[in-house]
Amino acid sequence: MSSAVDIERESSRLFSQLKNVSLRPGAKWTPDDCRVVAPYTLEINRLKKEKDAFILAHSYTNPEIMYGVADAVGDSYGLSLAASKVKQKTIIFAGVWFMAETAKIINPSKTVLIPGGRAGCTLADSMTGEDLLNFKKKHPGAPVLCYINSTADVKAQSDVCVTSANVVKIAAKMPGDKIIFVPDMLMAQNLTGMLHAQGVKKEIVYTGGSCCVHDKYITDNVKSMRDKYPGIKILIHPEASPDVCALCDYVGGTEGTLKYVAESKDKTFGLLTEIGLVNRLEHDNPDKTFIWERGTCAYMKKNTLFNTLQALTEPAERQIVTVEKKTARAALKCINKMFEMSR
Ligand code: 13P
Ligand code: SF4
């Protein structure tokens, strides 16, 4: 059996080879590219059965993970639901830390491993449970919605968890006229507008940070796409700034974006989002053209075939997901409330 060091070395060797492979779109790999990837794909799929493991992958991970070894691919909401139903002994979560942590909270009897180790997220890392406690003191009595891109500590201090797929629906159902929303300050601003558009008036008070991928988009990105491609439909994630979202044709999470494109009669789409989703859209819609404005989540890309193999054979400490019991119990309440309210 290879040691962790061997696997890491092999991982960086393959990763540098994969850098020369056209990852966009994954479907355009050459036979040589496939020959590089195939042995690892086959070995992971064999080991999955032997070790009784199930692989969940977010749509922002690399195509060789999504298409080669994952048992389920989806957005934060879909993957949380999928995690709750896993029967196998081990969940391998190719995503970022808060996603794997959520899976562990939802299905605590499973061993949960994250190939990329402590792959962060600028949103989840923007706020601690203590920060939220202090913010709550400034708005006594206001219910707290936390975006799923948050730590277990923040979830434990919140009333209901939300994702991009259900944030408007759940916010509209919350009692009272004021809501605390954390930790995505741009999504909080978008939420105010999206609720108003539905005739729901609520004050959203917020604190936290922003997504380092989606907060980079500016209004000029939209304008220059429209100038170059008249009639283009432009899609963006609600983690982007409201002034940019206001100029787009669709604002929604990853599953919503896939659905919009699949159902649309239009042929050309502008994407202000992460490359992994672009890969999926191109794969699923070969008759449509996608114009992409750069955006890559380095945290999601930390998951490779090699560290997936490592997690399956000899998981390193940093790949094993644990959540303190009391925190997990409180966080589970807030996640279960989301499942209940999004039905
Ligand atoms: P989705 O739930 O829309 O997949 O979003 C997750 C995320 O991290 C987007 O940046
Ligand atoms: Fe976090 Fe942004 Fe990466 Fe999503 S894309 S995981 S919000 S840093």
Side-chain angles (χ1 to χ4, degrees):
M1 193 184 284
S2 328
S3 73
V5 175
D6 288 341
I7 291 170
E8 274 297 308
R9 202 173 295 132
E10 193 53 13
S11 169
S12 48
R13 187 187 66 77
L14 178 80
F15 197 65
S16 61
Q17 282 190 35
L18 283 177
K19 273 190 187 157
N20 301 323
V21 173
S22 165
L23 286 178
R24 186 178 170 249
K28 283 187 190 153
W29 285 7
T30 66
D32 274 351
D33 303 329
C34 296
R35 264 191 283 277
V36 173
V37 171
Y40 306 99
T41 309
L42 291 170
E43 181 60 0
I44 289 169
N45 285 319
R46 188 190 69 75
L47 276 170
K48 247 183 0 189
K49 289 198 191 105
E50 188 184 300
K51 307 264 177 175
D52 196 27
F54 190 88
I55 302 186
L56 296 169
H58 188 267
S59 296
Y60 292 171
T61 53
N62 291 309
E64 65 272 22
I65 305 273
M66 280 195 272
Y67 294 110
V69 299
D71 298 295
V73 178
D75 66 349
S76 309
Y77 185 71
L79 292 174
S80 302
L81 262 185
S84 71
K85 294 179 184 145
V86 170
K87 298 273 181 290
Q88 285 78 355
K89 228 167 60 192
T90 300
I91 296 174
I92 308 259
F93 207 122
V96 287
W97 187 263
F98 77 81
M99 294 180 176
E101 195 176 56
T102 304
K104 180 70 185 171
I105 293 166
I106 295 172
N107 209 339
S109 67
K110 308 295 171 189
T111 299
V112 178
L113 304 170
I114 175 164
R118 278 213 164 249
C121 160
T122 54
L123 276 172
D125 297 342
S126 69
M127 178 169 216
T128 64
E130 201 184 334
D131 293 335
L132 178 54
L133 262 181
N134 290 332
F135 191 69
K136 279 163 70 168
K137 283 183 195 148
K138 293 184 192 158
H139 304 279
V144 182
L145 288 191
C146 71
Y147 190 30
I148 197 163
N149 297 41
S150 54
T151 62
D153 279 343
V154 165
K155 289 185 178 79
Q157 303 291 344
S158 302
D159 296 301
V160 192
C161 180
V162 297
T163 75
S164 60
N166 53 34
V167 56
V168 182
K169 186 175 180 178
I170 292 179
K173 288 183 186 171
M174 294 304 285
D177 48 19
K178 185 176 178 180
I179 297 173
I180 294 175
F181 186 88
V182 292
D184 188 338
M185 303 211 285
L186 295 178
M187 187 177 279
Q189 293 164 37
N190 282 319
L191 179 59
T192 309
M194 292 191 275
L195 285 172
H196 279 194
Q198 296 198 356
V200 181
K201 289 223 164 65
K202 281 187 192 290
E203 185 194 357
I204 312 287
V205 289
Y206 53 87
T207 183
S210 62
C211 159
C212 63
V213 176
H214 294 105
D215 71 0
K216 298 283 180 298
Y217 295 121
I218 54 172
T219 54
D220 274 354
N221 297 141
V222 182
K223 287 178 192 153
S224 60
M225 269 189 190
R226 293 216 190 278
D227 286 348
K228 257 188 169 160
Y229 306 94
I232 193 170
K233 289 284 181 287
I234 303 183
L235 288 64
I236 194 165
H237 198 283
E239 289 166 2
S241 157
D243 56 336
V244 188
C245 291
L247 300 179
C248 295
D249 299 288
Y250 177 78
V251 183
T254 54
E255 283 304 311
T257 300
L258 285 158
K259 190 165 180 275
Y260 179 97
V261 172
E263 290 172 357
S264 172
K265 291 200 167 40
D266 289 290
K267 289 287 175 209
T268 307
F269 300 87
L271 302 171
L272 274 65
T273 192
E274 214 277 343
I275 177 73
L277 183 59
V278 182
N279 293 150
R280 273 199 75 184
L281 286 160
E282 286 180 326
H283 174 274
D284 295 357
N285 303 276
D287 58 327
K288 295 180 177 171
T289 303
F290 298 95
I291 312 300
W292 175 55
E293 186 59 48
R294 284 177 170 275
T296 302
C297 179
Y299 306 110
M300 291 279 187
K301 306 306 186 224
K302 277 176 131 183
N303 298 285
T304 65
L305 288 179
F306 283 100
N307 52 35
T308 303
L309 195 55
Q310 178 183 2
L312 273 165
T313 48
E314 281 179 88
E317 192 77 27
R318 66 190 166 77
Q319 295 177 310
I320 303 168
V321 181
T322 53
V323 188
E324 194 267 319
K325 278 210 170 79
K326 197 166 155 231
T327 308
R329 264 199 306 274
L332 181 62
K333 272 194 199 159
C334 141
I335 297 165
N336 279 340
K337 195 81 190 153
M338 166 177 77
F339 289 137
E340 185 193 314
M341 290 182 80
S342 47
R343 258 178 233 134

